Amino acid sequence: MNISGLVITFNEEANIKDCIISLNSVCDEVIIIDSFSSDKTVEIAESMGAKVYLQKFLGDGPQRVHGLQFCKHDWILNLDADERLDKDSFEFIKSGKYLNEPYDAYNFRRKNFLKDQPIDFAGWYPSYTCRFFNKQTAKPATTKVHQSIQATNLKTTKLHLLHYGWKDFHQIIGKYNLYTTWQSEEYFEQNKKVNFFTPIGHGLWSFLRCYILKKGIFHGLDGITFSMMQAFFSYMKYAKLRKLYENNKKGKI
């Protein structure tokens, strides 16, 4: 089995050990692209046999693309540091069944956790993400946030990844504040249109979608909380974009 594990990191000392253990269960090499962490991420990774390369952060997609040159195998398992293979995805990759299928990339269902609590409502599950692909015909898109894979023949599976992304609400809000900034900057570069009502409309629709259509309504206060967070993030993405256009007109950009 010839699979390269690839992870991009920045200050992930709390997560990187378990991530590498998960990768080592199916990969015969692990490549870390680290953005000059100030904690023990690099030390821990190297102590576990991973090869670490330092690179100033280029954006989510470009950072992953940069890492491909160091991977000696065609098949890439590109987990985030806070992700692990679930039992079904481990068994699928370990079996080598993908070698007999026509697909060059696989979408997994991601199980999100707030500390030890699964978030399987209000649009937070299934959260599809592509982490396994053949670099000869598929590669990460060069977007700054919400990484995706550009593939010739992608398959969406019912296999799972475990995502231990947040310890508390403060961490969720902090991460998504950064993501919405990156997303708004990307939209600005693409000249994506926005008006006064755009943030309001996206925020309102996001709440209704998560709370009603995605059944957050059946999960009490948690259902309201996670639906409101999704709505706020959607609102802020476009509010920040509008602010970028306003600042550009004033010559502040």
Side-chain angles (χ1 to χ4, degrees):
M1 185 172 300
N2 297 314
I3 301 173
S4 295
L6 176 64
V7 190
I8 62 173
T9 59
F10 178 70
N11 290 346
E12 292 285 359
E13 65 178 10
N15 292 311
I16 194 60
K17 179 178 179 181
D18 287 341
C19 180
I20 292 176
I21 290 173
S22 186
L23 288 169
N24 279 339
S25 68
V26 294
C27 300
D28 62 351
E29 70 166 358
V30 175
I31 304 298
I32 306 293
I33 307 299
D34 185 76
S35 303
F36 296 92
S37 292
S38 58
D39 63 3
K40 295 182 179 180
T41 299
V42 171
E43 178 183 337
I44 294 170
E46 290 181 334
S47 73
M48 299 183 69
K51 299 176 183 177
V52 180
Y53 300 90
L54 300 180
Q55 170 61 49
K56 182 179 178 181
F57 190 61
L58 303 170
D60 196 327
Q63 193 80 348
R64 297 173 196 268
V65 172
H66 175 77
L68 292 180
Q69 65 185 300
F70 305 109
C71 297
K72 64 184 181 182
H73 301 306
D74 289 340
W75 280 97
I76 309 296
L77 181 57
N78 180 204
L79 297 184
D80 282 351
D82 54 14
E83 293 174 341
R84 321 280 179 259
L85 293 174
D86 205 353
K87 182 178 180 180
D88 55 359
S89 54
F90 162 77
E91 291 177 346
F92 171 75
I93 295 174
K94 193 71 174 178
S95 71
K97 291 180 180 178
Y98 62 93
L99 296 171
N100 299 316
E101 296 190 358
Y103 308 105
D104 60 349
Y106 290 86
N107 261 341
F108 295 94
R109 291 183 173 187
R110 191 159 60 169
K111 296 178 181 177
N112 291 301
F113 292 84
L114 176 61
K115 201 171 182 179
D116 296 323
Q117 176 193 357
I119 313 169
D120 53 2
F121 52 88
W124 292 66
Y125 174 84
S127 170
Y128 285 101
T129 188
C130 183
R131 293 289 188 249
F132 189 49
F133 61 93
N134 189 314
K135 70 177 182 181
Q136 291 299 320
T137 54
K139 65 178 181 179
T142 55
T143 51
K144 292 181 178 179
V145 66
H146 296 315
Q147 180 263 345
S148 62
I149 296 295
Q150 297 173 328
T152 302
N153 195 6
L154 181 146
K155 181 178 182 179
T156 296
T157 74
K158 294 183 179 181
L159 305 173
H160 292 91
L161 295 178
L162 306 176
H163 181 219
Y164 298 99
W166 314 282
K167 295 180 179 178
D168 50 38
F169 287 125
H170 180 269
Q171 194 174 30
I172 294 180
I173 293 169
K175 284 188 176 183
Y176 271 85
N177 181 49
L178 181 61
Y179 296 159
T180 55
T181 296
W182 288 345
Q183 187 76 79
S184 65
E185 291 172 348
E186 193 163 78
Y187 284 170
F188 181 75
E189 293 171 0
Q190 297 169 357
N191 198 32
K192 190 176 182 69
K193 302 302 181 184
V194 63
N195 58 43
F196 176 85
F197 298 102
T198 306
I200 300 170
H202 277 271
L204 180 60
W205 165 244
S206 181
F207 178 80
L208 293 174
R209 174 181 174 273
C210 292
Y211 192 60
I212 304 297
L213 299 181
K214 296 298 182 178
K215 302 180 180 180
I217 192 172
F218 298 113
H219 292 268
L221 185 60
D222 281 346
I224 296 175
T225 301
F226 283 98
S227 298
M228 289 184 67
M229 282 197 295
Q230 287 286 67
F232 179 69
F233 299 145
S234 183
Y235 172 89
M236 287 304 302
K237 178 169 55 180
Y238 290 96
K240 289 178 180 181
L241 176 60
R242 182 170 171 80
K243 184 60 67 175
L244 285 174
Y245 281 118
E246 291 177 355
N247 289 339
N248 186 52
K249 287 182 179 180
K250 296 176 182 178
K252 294 182 179 181
I253 298 179

